[in-house]
Amino acid sequence: MNIQNWTMLYEGYEPLPCQAPCTMYSVLYDHGKIPDPFYGLNERELQYLSEKDCSFRALIPADDALLAREHLELVFRGLDTICHISLNGKLLDRVKNMHREYVYDVKPLLRPGENELLLQFKSPRRYFAQQQQKHYLYMNDGDTLPGTAHLRKAMYQSGWDWGPTLPDMGIFRPVELNAYDIDRLEDVAVRQHHENGQVSVELHVTTKQGTDCEIYAHLDGKRVLLEDGCGTIAIGEPKLWWVRGYGDQPLYDLDIELVSGGKVIDRCHKQLGLRTLTVSTQQDADKKGSEFCFVLNGVKIFSMGANFIPMDNLLSRVTPARWEALIGQAMDANFNTLRVWGGGYYPDSYFYELCDKYGILVWQDFMVACANIYLTAEMAEEFTQEAICNLKRFHHHACLGLLCGNNEMEEMIANQGKGDSLLVRNDYTQLYGHLLPELCEKYAPDTFYWPSSPCSGGGFEEPGNPAKGDTHYWEVWHGGVPFTTYREKSFRFCSEYGFESFPSMKTIRSFCEEKDQNCFSRVMENHQKCKGGNGKILRYLADNYLYPASFENLVYASQLLQADAIKYGVEHFRRQRGYCMGSIYWQFNDCWPVASWSSVDSFGRYKALHYAARKFYAPVAMGLFLENGKLTVNISNETMADFQGSIHLALCRSDMTVLEETSCPVRVEALTSSDVFAYKPACQDRYSTYLYADLFDETGAFLMRQVELMVPTKHFEWLPPEITAEFRDTAGGVEISVRSNVFTKGVFIDFQDYDCVLSDNYFSLTDHEPYRVTVKTNRSAGELEKTAVIKSVYDIR
């Protein structure tokens, strides 16, 4: 029984009916008691609400049939966070960890008729302040409420350099009353053993009551009786699971049945992807460094993706449809990896199911970011139960590639001295060097554990060393160095690096009146949480683009700039394949409308970066490198087959006059990156001359176009373009044929009344041929044409 109907009790308001999931801010907003927390300056003005307590009350009906069941359990899948749980006036527990589940035997407490379940949530802000006064903990350089790390609550809720300060309270996952007789399945532990082309699936199943019921497992057409809950099922000729781009994602159905007296009294269903998956940290031959790469079914893969943060601050709004959209957006940009960053919360199980289904590898942080932990006995027990709960829940998923102790704390202590002391180091070592890895070894023994990110292996030994382990590189952006610096660096695996931009104008209009649409207005600065962030955007813009006269064009230019920066890094990292084996940019998504490092904003609208990622993360991708007056064409082939195709390269004037052109066949071996062509352009005027290259496969099908200028974009002598677009209805949506009379870049097509994802956007028009893009939409060509708006880099002036 799902307990869905609740009443929220909050001082100053009448009782407010709500349905789970429900939290304090969401209920007040849904009832019109407070304005949209994300609009204008409301976030600041509504923070006081989390200084008070609130309660949620539900009435549970119990008839004779329910009360006659042998076992009645109350299950809480997610309580945020400090909560006193009472049933019919009897205190069941005082809890304070949103990252775990709680189960209670309530058969002695339920009575016929209505039963009152009361959840009393205590103010997180008061708790933070009280605990911080008792014991100071370093926390994120002032972006987050002091004391946040004293509570096992999603840290981002208390403010981050991209997120609002709205520490909520309430029910964010289901509350259930489960009734059963005899016994029920409790846990299914799964291990895989791969040997000689066979896979043995080892199972260990436990039940809640430990009765002598029979337990059967169904897998690959076999039905096996598990003795004492344990058994092994052999699968001959297994179909292996692969990350997308390397192969298919076959999933085997595993069904567990609990049988008593010949009747099935409980069932459990899981899907398994058969694979071996680990991380290689093999030392280099010169012993000066060591690799860091995922090894899937014996194949070293190059990870391409982004860091995922929570999708919303009001967790009641996170639905299965939003998880589906998120994974769809990741696939659309050719991600094969997502890092679940440690300042949020453990995703819903549906997230891992989708990653299994579509072949997205998951780097999973434990939920600590940029904060020291005071490891009292009570806190150690919270971490223990939290880890057990979540490892049991997602250990079997094929997508799970790495478990990471924390985000950035080893580097912050060792290299930056953040709260450094003997106690801090001892607590750190105990938690991330002993407690968590030992729990991982017990409950997820087939998954690689990594103490921190960035890290060179642990023990405070050179965290952040680019020659070992993974690296967070923030000299670009936070350090203010040009993004061209990326190509001077060599990393083994870059798991964080990023560059900010503003969200789309539609998104800005959702929280900002026209009078406040200035990047230094109070409202816009409130929706920019990185200290000096808007100024940084303008400073980097000054190096690359003309200054835009209008705010709308500033927003557009910031997105072009962001895409330029990350593209510049990714192409370099992929060119170094073999030494560098991963690019995970910061960040994938947003939790509210904000200027940030994301490639998809909080409304799901693609920035220029997300469109660029489709190309630079394509399984076969082309990069252009203009070095010392010579252009080198590189092709990265992140597939299991050799690539054969051709490139067409042209040197042109800004009026599209071709000065030189050439074509050549190319061949790149599987899982390699290769410089395939070098060209020294003979041009007398760099300010009005550009290079472009088109890549085709062996059938002649067009794959992608890349453009290179020989001067900064701001110094190129752009001619005013006359851009035309013809809209045509197709079976799957609308095709748009775009032309220009002169060369132009950053061609952006948007629709005033509709949100649409195009097959390409922010593209270049390099010749007189039409460039065709498609839109999957239910709208007609006529509807789109009426509301279409087209910009190009020429408009930035």
Side-chain angles (χ1 to χ4, degrees):
M1 177 196 300
N2 237 349
I3 302 172
Q4 285 193 298
N5 296 317
W6 296 81
T7 300
M8 188 179 85
L9 308 173
Y10 188 90
E11 182 184 343
Y13 299 100
E14 72 275 18
L16 301 173
C18 49
Q19 286 203 323
C22 45
T23 61
M24 179 267 292
Y25 278 112
S26 65
V27 173
L28 291 177
Y29 177 51
D30 290 344
H31 279 274
K33 304 300 181 182
I34 60 173
D36 181 354
F38 293 172
Y39 189 83
L41 301 172
N42 291 344
E43 173 236 348
R44 291 180 180 274
E45 295 166 2
L46 297 174
Q47 289 179 12
Y48 76 94
L49 291 168
S50 61
E51 296 173 357
K52 299 181 181 180
D53 301 339
C54 75
S55 299
F56 290 83
R57 182 179 64 202
L59 297 177
I60 307 172
D63 57 20
D64 291 342
L66 178 71
L67 297 173
R69 304 298 294 269
E70 291 181 28
H71 304 283
L72 296 170
E73 289 181 345
L74 200 53
V75 182
F76 299 91
R77 303 292 182 191
L79 297 175
D80 181 13
T81 294
I82 309 171
C83 183
H84 297 181
I85 307 169
S86 299
L87 180 62
N88 291 329
K90 172 72 174 179
L91 180 67
L92 292 180
D93 206 352
R94 296 182 177 92
V95 303
K96 51 182 179 181
N97 190 335
M98 75 176 285
H99 301 305
R100 55 176 289 200
E101 299 179 355
Y102 297 94
V103 182
Y104 304 98
D105 174 14
V106 293
K107 184 172 176 62
L109 297 178
L110 286 176
R111 58 198 184 202
E114 289 188 332
N115 295 263
E116 183 185 65
L117 177 59
L118 183 64
L119 307 180
Q120 296 172 292
F121 289 92
K122 305 301 179 181
S123 163
R125 293 186 71 126
R126 292 206 314 270
Y127 185 87
F128 297 156
Q130 291 163 2
Q131 297 304 309
Q132 188 75 344
Q133 189 172 23
K134 292 179 183 178
H135 183 96
Y136 169 81
L137 281 177
Y138 165 77
M139 179 80 224
N140 202 25
D141 286 340
D143 291 321
T144 307
L145 290 173
T148 295
H150 285 287
L151 186 61
R152 297 306 298 142
K153 177 177 175 63
M155 293 179 173
Y156 82 104
Q157 294 181 334
S158 298
W160 218 266
D161 58 4
W162 38 259
T165 302
L166 294 168
D168 210 349
M169 298 172 276
I171 305 162
F172 77 99
R173 282 183 174 146
V175 178
E176 302 163 0
L177 178 64
N178 295 329
Y180 63 95
D181 297 320
I182 304 173
D183 208 346
R184 193 166 195 174
L185 295 168
E186 182 174 45
D187 181 52
V188 179
V190 182
R191 294 199 67 181
Q192 299 180 24
H193 305 283
H194 293 244
E195 190 174 0
N196 300 324
Q198 275 202 336
V199 179
S200 298
V201 177
E202 178 186 344
L203 301 171
H204 181 68
V205 180
T206 56
T207 65
K208 287 181 174 291
Q209 304 301 326
T211 60
D212 57 0
C213 293
E214 294 176 330
I215 303 174
Y216 289 90
H218 300 253
L219 180 65
D220 193 35
K222 302 179 179 71
R223 185 173 188 259
V224 175
L225 174 65
L226 304 181
E227 298 290 343
D228 296 323
C230 299
T232 300
I233 300 176
I235 300 176
E237 299 182 3
K239 298 174 182 176
L240 296 183
W241 182 93
W242 292 91
V243 168
R244 63 191 312 269
Y246 298 87
D248 296 330
Q249 295 80 43
L251 296 173
Y252 288 75
D253 291 309
L254 171 65
D255 290 288
I256 306 295
E257 293 179 343
L258 184 64
V259 177
S260 176
K263 293 183 178 180
V264 177
I265 59 173
D266 197 17
R267 287 186 173 89
C268 173
H269 174 75
K270 296 181 184 292
Q271 287 194 307
L272 306 180
L274 305 180
R275 88 290 185 267
T276 61
L277 179 55
T278 189
V279 174
S280 172
T281 56
Q282 181 178 344
Q283 191 175 49
D284 296 338
D286 62 8
K287 298 184 179 180
K288 294 181 179 179
S290 54
E291 73 177 352
F292 189 92
C293 70
F294 288 98
V295 184
L296 174 63
N297 299 324
V299 175
K300 293 180 179 180
I301 69 171
F302 190 101
S303 292
M304 302 183 290
N307 287 266
F308 163 66
I309 66 168
M311 289 185 281
D312 209 317
N313 268 70
L314 305 188
L315 295 183
S316 61
R317 302 197 294 208
V318 176
T319 62
R322 289 184 72 176
W323 287 114
E324 291 165 8
L326 179 95
I327 298 303
Q329 291 157 355
M331 293 191 297
D332 197 24
N334 287 312
F335 290 7
N336 64 26
T337 304
L338 283 173
R339 176 183 175 225
V340 180
W341 170 75
Y345 63 99
Y346 301 96
D348 296 352
S349 295
Y350 192 40
F351 166 80
Y352 303 98
E353 293 169 12
L354 290 169
C355 290
D356 283 350
K357 181 177 180 180
Y358 295 112
I360 303 288
L361 187 150
V362 174
W363 169 316
Q364 175 69 59
D365 281 5
F366 285 96
M367 290 300 122
V368 181
C370 306
N372 291 326
I373 298 297
Y374 183 34
L375 199 65
T376 62
E378 180 185 24
M379 184 62 82
E381 179 62 15
E382 288 294 352
F383 270 98
T384 297
Q385 295 306 319
E386 170 187 321
I388 291 171
C389 174
N390 287 287
L391 293 174
K392 283 184 173 183
R393 180 166 66 92
F394 54 58
H395 79 279
H396 68 282
H397 283 284
C399 64
L400 186 65
L402 181 149
L403 294 162
C404 181
N406 68 79
N407 174 76
E408 295 189 341
M409 281 321 300
E410 183 178 12
E411 181 183 49
M412 285 186 170
I413 294 170
N415 296 346
Q416 301 174 33
K418 301 297 186 181
D420 193 8
S421 69
L422 182 60
L423 175 62
V424 165
R425 289 199 175 217
N426 286 343
D427 281 352
Y428 181 97
T429 301
Q430 179 60 31
L431 179 56
Y432 307 113
H434 297 287
L435 180 62
L436 289 179
E438 289 167 9
L439 290 167
C440 289
E441 180 61 30
K442 182 175 181 179
Y443 294 99
D446 296 332
T447 303
F448 183 86
Y449 174 81
W450 192 238
S452 184
S453 179
C455 185
S456 297
F460 299 104
E461 181 185 346
E462 299 184 293
N465 180 347
K468 300 179 182 179
D470 72 307
T471 301
H472 293 189
Y473 182 69
W474 283 106
E475 285 303 304
V476 174
W477 186 259
H478 286 306
V481 303
F483 62 71
T484 52
T485 308
Y486 284 133
R487 294 191 178 176
E488 301 170 7
K489 303 295 180 180
S490 294
F491 305 120
R492 307 316 290 258
F493 192 112
C494 204
S495 51
E496 268 195 34
Y497 64 104
F499 202 95
E500 276 201 348
S501 73
F502 295 109
S504 77
M505 280 303 303
K506 290 177 186 173
T507 298
I508 289 172
R509 292 184 185 110
S510 76
F511 67 80
C512 186
E513 296 178 42
E514 187 172 355
K515 68 181 178 64
D516 294 315
Q517 289 174 14
N518 181 297
C519 66
F520 297 118
S521 72
R522 285 183 67 207
V523 170
M524 287 301 299
E525 287 194 332
N526 191 56
H527 287 255
Q528 163 60 277
K529 296 300 185 179
C530 174
K531 296 181 182 72
N534 291 348
K536 282 188 172 75
I537 291 175
L538 293 185
R539 197 200 68 71
Y540 276 106
L541 193 71
D543 291 342
N544 295 276
Y545 288 88
L546 295 177
Y547 187 80
S550 74
F551 178 73
E552 185 168 338
N553 285 339
L554 171 62
V555 169
Y556 162 67
S558 78
Q559 293 198 16
L560 291 182
L561 181 67
Q562 179 191 37
D564 290 345
I566 301 304
K567 174 179 179 288
Y568 207 83
V570 173
E571 289 178 345
H572 173 63
F573 301 150
R574 292 194 68 177
R575 192 185 190 189
Q576 292 187 312
R577 192 204 195 278
Y579 187 87
C580 178
M581 291 299 289
S583 162
I584 311 295
Y585 66 73
W586 185 271
Q587 65 204 65
F588 180 15
N589 61 303
D590 283 324
C591 63
W592 78 315
V594 65
S596 81
W597 298 269
S598 71
S599 61
V600 178
D601 74 21
S602 61
F603 283 82
R605 295 173 179 135
Y606 288 14
K607 297 181 181 180
L609 172 56
H610 211 67
Y611 282 104
R614 278 188 186 156
K615 297 177 184 178
F616 61 60
Y617 279 159
V620 177
M622 175 175 62
L624 305 184
F625 295 81
L626 190 62
E627 302 159 318
N628 301 317
K630 184 179 76 171
L631 183 79
T632 302
V633 180
N634 173 271
I635 294 179
S636 298
N637 179 14
E638 203 56 34
T639 74
M640 302 284 274
D642 292 353
F643 172 78
Q644 294 190 104
S646 63
I647 57 172
H648 173 256
L649 181 70
L651 176 69
C652 306
R653 285 204 301 256
S654 54
D655 63 0
M656 293 185 176
T657 299
V658 176
L659 301 176
E660 295 178 1
E661 62 182 328
T662 185
S663 296
C664 69
V666 293
R667 182 180 181 276
V668 181
E669 293 182 3
L671 305 175
T672 65
S673 180
S674 179
D675 292 346
V676 297
F677 186 75
Y679 169 76
K680 192 168 182 66
C683 63
Q684 297 180 349
D685 185 2
R686 296 179 300 138
Y687 295 95
S688 62
T689 309
Y690 63 96
L691 290 150
Y692 79 90
D694 288 342
L695 178 64
F696 303 88
D697 68 15
E698 61 184 336
T699 70
F702 173 77
L703 296 181
M704 69 174 59
R705 173 174 294 165
Q706 298 286 23
V707 172
E708 190 75 15
L709 302 181
M710 287 170 277
V711 296
T713 304
K714 66 180 181 178
H715 290 158
F716 192 83
E717 293 179 358
W718 300 98
L719 299 176
E722 295 177 6
I723 301 174
T724 61
E726 296 181 1
F727 292 73
R728 182 176 68 87
D729 289 309
T730 63
V734 174
E735 180 185 84
I736 310 172
S737 296
V738 190
R739 295 175 186 260
S740 175
N741 61 326
V742 296
F743 166 59
T744 191
K745 280 186 65 180
V747 177
F748 170 46
I749 304 175
D750 197 14
F751 306 97
Q752 293 175 334
D753 299 333
Y754 313 118
D755 283 327
C756 297
V757 174
L758 282 67
S759 60
D760 196 9
N761 216 340
Y762 301 91
F763 50 83
S764 298
L765 296 175
T766 60
D767 56 33
H768 294 288
E769 295 299 312
Y771 190 82
R772 293 182 174 87
V773 296
T774 57
V775 188
K776 291 183 179 179
T777 178
N778 295 324
R779 304 290 178 181
S780 69
E783 287 176 301
L784 292 188
E785 186 171 9
K786 286 178 183 177
T787 190
V789 176
I790 301 178
K791 287 183 182 294
S792 77
V793 69
Y794 183 81
D795 294 307
I796 304 174
R797 58 188 59 242

